[in-house]
């Protein structure tokens, strides 16, 4: 099974930046979709960005487009989420996720990390 471990969450003031990391291991398939989800209290989990390991093309939800940037290292074993211009509404638990194959548009992935909390104060 794929194991995912997030790090880099914390508290920041509005307008600040944070960088999340996700270390992945246990790959068994040739290609994966790697994504970041977030879930705020009382809200549904939301997929905010993804990057396929195969071609690196990225996707962003409207809520983070232009402010967040997803990337992966050359070995495809570490994924990052650079978050700039943070807003209080970005406060949530952030999860990295992986799913084998190319269907990165799926709303549910097979593997999730344990999550890292991001809190943005006004």
């Amino acid at each position: 099974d794929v194991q995912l471990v997030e790090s880099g969450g914390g508290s920041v003031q509005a307008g600040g930046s944070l960088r999340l990391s996700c270390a992945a291991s246990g790959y068994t398939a040739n290609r994966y979709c790697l994504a970041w989800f977030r879930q705020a209290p009382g809200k549904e989990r939301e997929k905010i960005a993804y990057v396929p390991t195969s071609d690196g093309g990225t996707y962003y939800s409207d809520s983070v487009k232009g402010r967040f940037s997803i990337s992966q290292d050359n070995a495809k074993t570490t994924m990052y989420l650079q978050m700039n211009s943070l807003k209080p509404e970005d406060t949530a638990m952030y999860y990295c996720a992986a799913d084998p194959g190319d269907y990165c548009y799926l709303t549910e992935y097979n593997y999730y990390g344990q999550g890292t909390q991001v809190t943005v104060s006004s």
Side-chain angles (χ1 to χ4, degrees), residues 4-103:
L4 303 166
V5 180
E6 303 96 336
S7 60
S11 297
V12 65
Q13 288 192 326
S17 298
L18 282 174
R19 189 192 196 204
L20 305 183
S21 299
C22 174
S25 61
Y27 285 159
T28 58
N30 291 329
R31 296 192 297 270
Y32 284 84
C33 295
L34 302 177
W36 288 98
F37 289 71
R38 69 183 182 186
Q39 187 167 21
K43 294 189 176 182
E44 292 187 355
R45 187 166 55 194
E46 171 192 18
K47 184 170 64 180
I48 57 173
Y50 70 68
V51 58
T53 59
S54 57
D55 62 18
T58 56
Y59 156 87
Y60 300 95
S61 67
D62 288 342
S63 59
V64 306
K65 193 177 298 181
R67 300 187 298 121
F68 290 12
S69 177
I70 188 172
S71 61
Q72 57 185 326
D73 67 351
N74 290 335
K76 317 296 186 185
T77 57
T78 304
M79 178 175 62
Y80 305 97
L81 186 68
Q82 178 67 42
M83 305 186 295
N84 299 326
S85 302
L86 282 161
K87 305 174 182 179
E89 50 264 43
D90 293 318
T91 295
M93 185 72 78
Y94 284 70
Y95 300 89
C96 66
D99 200 77
D102 299 316
Y103 300 111

